[in-house]
Amino acid sequence: MKIKLLCRKEKEESYRQQLQNGEIRFGSPADLILMEPQFLLDELLIREEEGISIVSPQEILYVESLQNQLKLHAKQKTYHTRGTLYQMEASLYPKGFLRIHKSYLVNRRHIAMIKTSLNMKFVLVLSDGSHLEVSRSYYYQFKEEIGF
């Protein structure tokens, strides 16, 4: 069996030594998670300060990016993690998420209403009452994705 470690460089050698010496204990919370490819494909693993949360994409209303910080606004909670919106978009696009702004992805299942605005913009009203603006840069792409 081969194992690939995806971890910080400063921790990699320590983990390798512990694996080779048999010093690994299983438990939760954990310092390292070994996960087989394609496991939990329908779920997102969100690394937060408290640990790793498993979140269903259907629960997420929209994703907001501020520099290298991402806020995943879900029905019950807002998750905070590090990363780029481009990476998140790559994993969420197949699950029905659309880019509407340089800082926002929206779950099309939670769009309750689309209002037209001035200057080639739309305002989206989400199922929880939140309002998000589709920027001019994403106006035509959004129209095409929605089917206008």
Side-chain angles (χ1 to χ4, degrees), residues 101-117:
H101 188 279
K102 70 178 186 173
S103 300
Y104 292 101
L105 293 174
V106 67
N107 187 340
R108 69 187 312 154
R109 291 182 190 104
H110 290 287
I111 299 173
M113 183 182 294
I114 301 171
K115 296 181 179 182
T116 56
S117 183

Side-chain angles (χ1 to χ4, degrees), residues 6-113:
L6 296 176
C7 60
R8 296 188 312 256
K9 289 288 183 199
E10 63 268 12
K11 290 288 212 171
E12 184 175 2
E13 188 55 39
S14 170
Y15 291 143
R16 283 183 191 278
Q17 288 292 64
Q18 290 177 31
L19 280 167
Q20 289 172 348
N21 297 337
E23 299 172 13
I24 300 294
R25 292 187 322 265
F26 292 88
S28 184
D31 299 318
L32 183 70
I33 296 175
L34 296 177
M35 184 173 74
E36 66 183 341
Q38 309 302 316
F39 180 72
L40 288 179
L41 241 188
D42 292 334
E43 307 292 328
L44 290 175
L45 298 176
I46 306 298
R47 183 180 300 274
E48 298 184 281
E49 287 182 12
E50 313 85 56
I52 296 176
S53 298
I54 300 173
V55 181
S56 171
Q58 292 91 334
E59 295 293 312
I60 300 170
L61 302 167
Y62 66 98
V63 180
E64 178 181 7
S65 172
L66 299 166
Q67 295 165 348
N68 273 349
Q69 297 289 324
L70 294 175
K71 289 184 182 179
L72 286 80
H73 298 270
K75 291 179 182 177
Q76 303 298 324
K77 179 181 175 185
T78 299
Y79 299 91
H80 300 269
T81 190
R82 297 187 65 77
T84 65
L85 200 57
Y86 292 109
Q87 293 169 329
M88 190 63 69
E89 181 180 15
S91 59
L92 291 177
Y93 179 79
K95 295 173 180 16
F97 282 74
L98 303 173
R99 185 75 172 258
I100 61 165
H101 188 279
K102 70 178 186 173
S103 300
Y104 292 101
L105 293 174
V106 67
N107 187 340
R108 69 187 312 154
R109 291 182 190 104
H110 290 287
I111 299 173
M113 183 182 294

Side-chain angles (χ1 to χ4, degrees), residues 134-147:
V134 178
S135 71
R136 284 190 307 239
S137 302
Y138 292 93
Y139 177 83
Y140 290 110
Q141 181 180 339
F142 178 78
K143 278 181 64 170
E144 186 176 313
E145 291 280 349
I146 291 294

